[in-house]
Amino acid sequence: MKNVAVVGSQWGDEGKGKIVDWLSSEADVVVRFQGGHNAGHTLVIDGETYKLRLLPSGIVRKNKISIIGNGVVVDPWALIEEIEEIKKKGVEINEENLFLSESATLILPIHSELDALREDSAKNSKIGTTRRGIGPAYEDKVGRRSIRVIDLLSEQNLDSKLETILHHHNSLRRGMGVKEYSRQKLKEELVKIAPKILKFSKPIWKKIEELKKLNKKILFEGAQGILLDVDHGTYPFVTSSNTVASSAATGSGCGINTINYILGITKAYTTRVGEGPFPTELKNDIGEKLGSRGKEFGTVTSRKRRCGWFDGVLVRQTIKTSGITGIALTKLDVLDEFDEIKICVAYELNGKKIDHLPTSTEHQFKVKPIYKSFKGWKSSTCGIKEFSSLPKPAQEYIKFIEEFVETKVSTISTSPERKDTILIEDPFDT
């Protein structure tokens, strides 16, 4: 029996929702370990669509434990709103199937306001944030001034914490010409929401250890993608947390040896939301066709995604930095109608051929993709459940990806429906 971590191998939006849902039907426990309510997962189960932002994907299934780990930044109002939304769809959520780390950092109204103020004043250097306060909340966490779930237990303690955090934020607000935030107002808002949040609060590291001893199958669910990792992504056009698989251990309080298999969700082409370098981006009819066929709009923000050909160089690089064991190739059916399909196999930078994405932001914007072309299969792959049933050109495309990125393709998704999956290797049983 193995515990599995699922991460996105590109810039997010790889179709993790479907794969995680498929895996969560087999898992006993599903853990979110980083990010916040800026990244969404869309699940389609028996014709019902669930759009999750903070809640782990296991929450929509009976007899599963869902955990929000310490590595997640939690907007308490957004969490309660999401819980109520999902409850309306007939899903039971209570203190027995949802646990929230007592050491998780809270996202406060001052964080989302600061996020928006910075983005609006950035002019030509926008990062493309979702304006939900994720970055500022992580900044306060690292700056040792954040308010955590456990701080809601005591009003006296909360007073002290609010004084510290507002001293910092009101200094920033004065500097930006914005009215200071009222400590009393923020305290009242937190005291009101506290009972709704605290009932889910637990020492998660201890709970995971108990579940391990019971031989429960644990699925660690990542948000976003490795190319948005604050250390290993296209900095500064990244998120504010580590999205690589090793952060599953840090963000939940378990040892790294708890994770036995790392599944990298990988789209059969490439997309990106927001600003930043994108070597294979197609600002033409092909890019528009990929976006249209793939319904490339964000789950949380509805922002249109930028589209391009599959970048093998980047996926090979993220596989190395995250220790990915196998990849789940998604949205293969989006490529069904193309006469020619391309894969980026190298870059050209200042007249020289290179085999990786350079660290310099300036160079990342300058690199030009070098492509290998493949004949399109021009037939439907939608709903196919056996690799041998795929058109021969599609098989060749997948085999080349597997060889180039030096990692096994363990799963292939051929439609948004969970049942339309080609399983080559089960991560839990391998």
Side-chain angles (χ1 to χ4, degrees), residues 100-104 106 147-159 161 187 190-203:
L100 169 64
S101 173
E102 59 188 15
S103 57
L106 295 179
I147 293 176
R148 304 192 297 173
V149 172
I150 197 69
D151 295 325
L152 299 178
L153 274 175
S154 161
E155 280 195 41
Q156 183 179 355
N157 179 56
L158 187 58
D159 278 328
K161 296 281 186 175
K187 180 183 175 181
L190 287 170
V191 168
K192 185 177 179 181
I193 197 80
K196 299 178 182 180
I197 294 295
L198 286 171
K199 67 180 182 179
F200 299 110
S201 176
K202 295 266 190 316

Side-chain angles (χ1 to χ4, degrees), residues 16 24 37 70 97 211 225 237 247 251 257 261 292 325 341 350:
K16 289 186 291 295
S24 69
H37 64 307
N70 56 276
N97 67 350
L211 293 165
F237 302 95
S247 61
N257 59 350
Y261 191 103
S292 176
T325 313
I341 300 167
N350 298 328

